[in-house]
Amino acid sequence: MAAKIIVLGSVNGKLEPVFQKLTSLHQKQNFAFAIITGNLFAVDQDDETVSRLLKGDIHVPLSTYFTVGTLPLPERVVDRINKDEDVCENLHFLGKRSVTKTSDGFRIVALGGALDKTIIGGQSKEQHLPLHTADDAKILRGANTADILLTKCWPSRVWENSSKPPTAEHRTIPSTDEIADLCATLKPRYHFSASPTDFFYEREPFFHPPSNPESDEKLVTRFISLASYGNAAKAKAMYAFNLVPGESATSIPPGSTLSPFVTRSSPKKRSAPTNDQANGRSHHGGGRHVRRKRDRSPPPGPDRCFFCLANTDVDTHMICSIGEDSYVTTAKGPLSSSETFASTGLSFPGHQLIIPLPHEPTFRSMGEDAGKTYKEMVRFKEAMQTMVATKSKFKLGTVTFEISRQSGIHLHWQFIPIPSDLIRKGLVEAGFKVEAENREYPPFEEAKFESGVDEASDFFRLWIWSNDSDTGIQAKELVMRFDGSLRFDLQFGRRVVAKLLGLEDRLYWQDVVQSIVDETQDVEKFKEAFQPWDFTSA
């Protein structure tokens, strides 16, 4: 059933007249919810109005969402939000960088504030200041899809392919490639922004190339920028429309154009699988753990997946490096501790995760994204291998392993340092093979199938690598294929390495979760050591 939604431009502190107007319209139209683009508050917002809003004396008639515009939020509003409370009844802060699913089933992705180019590598920490980073935009690309995209900045060159040439004023509007890439990736049904001056802009609808050339899906975006409420030019400041949750267009609307971002070659996502078995352990979100159930519930989407950066519960302090298609984080509850390899020159655990941005259980399910995602993950792996060998004066090698299951949720690789001597003596390879035999698993094979996009079976993959500087690099890739009937131990890789390192007491990550302070220290030490090899900071 279609829901009616209303969107407003910047309110600029005119809270009472705006919500009075909304009350009148809502009584007639029965909107599902409202969205405010741009600034809700004024630069010189009077304290009395803020007090009346917080006390509920200003009536907000329906669920109304807002994010950060060009101004910081009032301090007392920030205090209320920091308590994880709504500003007042029906007034909800989306967060500066967020993915929200409404009670009606609509998916809103928001990125407030202007791009701060002075921050290179990392996310903006303060959620209430009107600035975001390039990484904030990159993180939200992991949301995969959106019904509504809400940004302060315009996407760069949004008028390309349009029959409406941009005015001189349009060309001066703050716009960024980061927002263009975000829109191209998410392919939202509506993309709203706030006009910096008194004008309304609505581009012709534009369609995106389908993810699958054989698909009949119609991916159409409408970009709309609203004037501020009560503007002197009386430009349009309110926009109402009907939308059905989860429904895609059945045809391209007349007058539509090709996406202005089509040359950006943005990532194309496929839908998530329909099984809830996690591919290993969670590493974000305070120790919450996905467990196998007989009565299977729907799989978590990107906003609830602890490997997805679009999840607002992600522990961003654990993120070490973000590429175009994947990222590196420290493992929560690492197998190795900061003391494990200290004698070899490594002052941090070194147990890392390499995680693709697409929310998919296998490379195969990524489709045409698989190749470039795999290559970047390999690049991260090889860079960290070199870092570990160099920092340890070639005393340490590494193991990296992957569980690829169609019944998984989000693919990832686990990367752990291990003494080179164990690798050179063949003990690491033997350890994995013996454990597999003891569990009556299929045998390992030496194989190289790159991303494995053409591999139909489930599999466990292991990379063993060392470089002792004298005899050179020793590397081997081993694969164990199995079908869905095998009850594969998701702790298999960690279990073998724990035995090899004598760390059986650290087998279960839940038992060795660190404090945020310790986690942050380990991340900073890793980032400092990795910096010479971190290609994302080049």
Side-chain angles (χ1 to χ4, degrees):
M1 182 176 178
K4 186 168 284 189
I5 302 165
I6 186 166
V7 182
L8 295 81
S10 288
V11 171
N12 293 328
K14 301 182 180 73
L15 303 181
E16 292 196 70
V18 161
F19 290 123
Q20 287 172 0
K21 181 68 172 179
L22 269 182
T23 298
S24 175
L25 292 173
H26 182 50
Q27 289 172 348
K28 299 174 184 177
Q29 301 293 335
N30 191 28
F31 295 110
F33 59 87
I35 296 175
I36 295 172
T37 66
N39 297 312
L40 176 59
F41 300 96
V43 63
D44 54 353
Q45 186 69 58
D46 63 288
D47 195 59
E48 181 182 351
T49 299
V50 172
S51 294
R52 297 188 67 242
L53 179 70
L54 294 175
K55 290 190 294 184
D57 293 341
I58 297 177
H59 176 58
V60 181
L62 74 162
S63 291
T64 302
Y65 300 95
F66 74 101
T67 183
V68 181
T70 59
L71 303 172
L73 301 179
E75 186 174 338
R76 287 200 292 153
V77 172
V78 172
D79 290 342
R80 178 70 61 87
I81 292 169
N82 283 339
K83 295 176 183 176
D84 202 23
E85 299 175 2
D86 289 332
V87 177
C88 63
E89 185 177 3
N90 285 334
L91 187 56
H92 317 294
F93 179 58
L94 289 169
K96 178 166 60 181
R97 187 200 77 221
S98 68
V99 181
T100 302
K101 190 171 186 179
T102 71
S103 59
D104 305 278
F106 293 104
R107 189 177 174 82
I108 303 173
V109 175
L111 182 60
L115 176 66
D116 186 350
K117 295 184 177 179
T118 64
I119 302 177
I120 301 175
Q123 306 85 50
S124 52
K125 303 300 182 184
E126 176 53 68
Q127 284 294 303
H128 314 108
L129 294 180
L131 298 170
H132 67 258
T133 70
D135 276 348
D136 286 322
K138 187 183 295 182
I139 282 171
L140 283 177
R141 283 164 44 189
N144 294 350
T145 62
D147 292 303
I148 298 170
L149 174 60
L150 180 63
T151 65
K152 172 61 189 74
C153 296
W154 280 28
S156 60
R157 298 182 295 280
V158 68
W159 48 78
E160 286 190 5
N161 301 330
S162 172
S163 62
K164 305 173 184 178
T167 64
E169 184 178 31
H170 291 163
R171 292 187 180 277
T172 64
I173 292 171
S175 63
T176 69
D177 290 342
E178 286 76 9
I179 299 298
D181 288 338
L182 182 60
C183 183
T185 299
L186 299 183
K187 303 176 179 63
R189 298 159 77 183
Y190 282 86
H191 182 174
F192 288 101
S193 186
S195 300
T197 55
D198 296 345
F199 72 89
F200 169 80
Y201 177 82
E202 182 174 10
R203 191 201 186 281
E204 307 102 316
F206 54 88
F207 57 90
H208 306 267
S211 302
N212 183 347
E214 299 178 359
S215 172
D216 292 329
E217 64 181 342
K218 305 294 189 296
L219 303 170
V220 178
T221 295
R222 289 171 168 83
F223 175 75
I224 297 163
S225 187
L226 293 157
S228 59
Y229 184 83
N231 65 87
K234 297 184 177 180
K236 190 171 182 177
M238 308 179 89
Y239 185 95
F241 60 102
N242 294 318
L243 204 61
V244 177
E247 183 179 77
S248 58
T250 56
S251 61
I252 302 297
S256 298
T257 76
L258 180 65
S259 168
F261 320 123
V262 72
T263 58
R264 295 186 170 275
S265 185
S266 60
K268 303 175 179 65
K269 315 296 179 190
R270 294 187 179 183
S271 59
T274 57
N275 187 294
D276 75 338
Q277 177 59 44
N279 210 355
R281 54 181 179 72
S282 65
H283 73 293
H284 293 314
R288 281 181 274 185
H289 187 52
V290 180
R291 304 180 71 177
R292 189 182 181 94
K293 300 179 180 179
R294 290 185 179 275
D295 297 322
R296 292 178 175 176
S297 57
D303 54 339
R304 293 188 296 118
C305 169
F306 292 119
F307 293 125
C308 279
L309 296 181
N311 183 350
T312 54
D313 288 333
V314 161
D315 291 337
T316 56
H317 69 279
M318 300 182 73
I319 297 172
C320 301
S321 182
I322 303 175
E324 290 296 321
D325 303 288
S326 59
Y327 72 103
V328 172
T329 178
T330 58
K332 197 167 194 72
L335 174 61
S336 45
S337 71
S338 56
E339 288 79 37
T340 302
F341 306 115
S343 63
T344 65
L346 228 57
S347 60
F348 48 88
H351 185 175
Q352 311 296 131
L353 303 184
I354 308 173
I355 305 171
L357 293 180
H359 179 70
E360 301 290 355
T362 67
F363 283 112
R364 183 181 177 86
S365 60
M366 293 180 199
E368 59 191 55
D369 281 346
K372 62 190 182 71
T373 302
Y374 171 79
K375 287 179 181 178
E376 185 176 84
M377 291 175 70
V378 168
R379 193 176 179 188
F380 270 128
K381 177 174 70 74
E382 291 176 345
M384 291 194 295
Q385 286 170 175
T386 304
M387 180 268 291
V388 166
T390 304
K391 290 294 181 181
S392 68
K393 293 182 171 54
F394 305 101
K395 295 176 183 176
L396 293 175
T398 65
V399 293
T400 307
F401 51 87
E402 163 195 356
I403 302 174
S404 178
R405 293 165 59 102
Q406 285 299 328
S407 61
I409 289 179
H410 197 134
L411 178 76
H412 60 281
W413 293 352
Q414 296 200 43
F415 174 99
I416 308 174
I418 199 161
S420 293
D421 283 350
L422 294 180
I423 296 174
R424 295 288 172 175
K425 294 175 182 177
L427 297 178
V428 174
E429 181 177 347
F432 277 90
K433 288 182 175 180
V434 168
E435 187 71 22
E437 290 173 4
N438 290 341
R439 292 176 173 271
E440 298 183 347
Y441 285 170
F444 276 103
E445 306 170 28
E446 193 165 350
K448 292 184 179 180
F449 49 68
E450 298 292 317
S451 67
V453 70
D454 297 321
E455 185 63 33
S457 65
D458 294 341
F459 60 85
F460 175 89
R461 172 159 47 175
L462 169 70
W463 289 273
I464 306 172
W465 184 94
S466 71
N467 180 2
D468 66 3
S469 77
D470 292 328
T471 58
I473 293 173
Q474 177 177 309
K476 184 172 287 191
E477 181 177 339
L478 299 172
V479 176
M480 178 203 302
R481 294 178 175 88
F482 54 88
D483 59 34
S485 65
L486 177 68
R487 214 169 161 183
F488 189 80
D489 176 18
L490 299 180
Q491 298 296 330
F492 176 76
R494 182 173 175 130
R495 189 182 304 278
V496 175
V497 179
K499 291 179 179 180
L500 289 168
L501 295 177
L503 297 174
E504 288 95 335
D505 59 334
R506 296 180 63 87
L507 174 59
Y508 298 104
W509 69 270
Q510 300 96 325
D511 297 338
V512 290
V513 173
Q514 301 169 281
S515 68
I516 291 178
V517 171
D518 288 340
E519 288 173 340
T520 303
Q521 288 177 348
D522 286 341
V523 168
E524 292 306 314
K525 289 177 181 178
F526 172 87
K527 289 167 71 174
E528 182 181 0
F530 188 51
Q531 196 278 328
W533 294 276
D534 188 356
F535 56 88
T536 68
S537 61

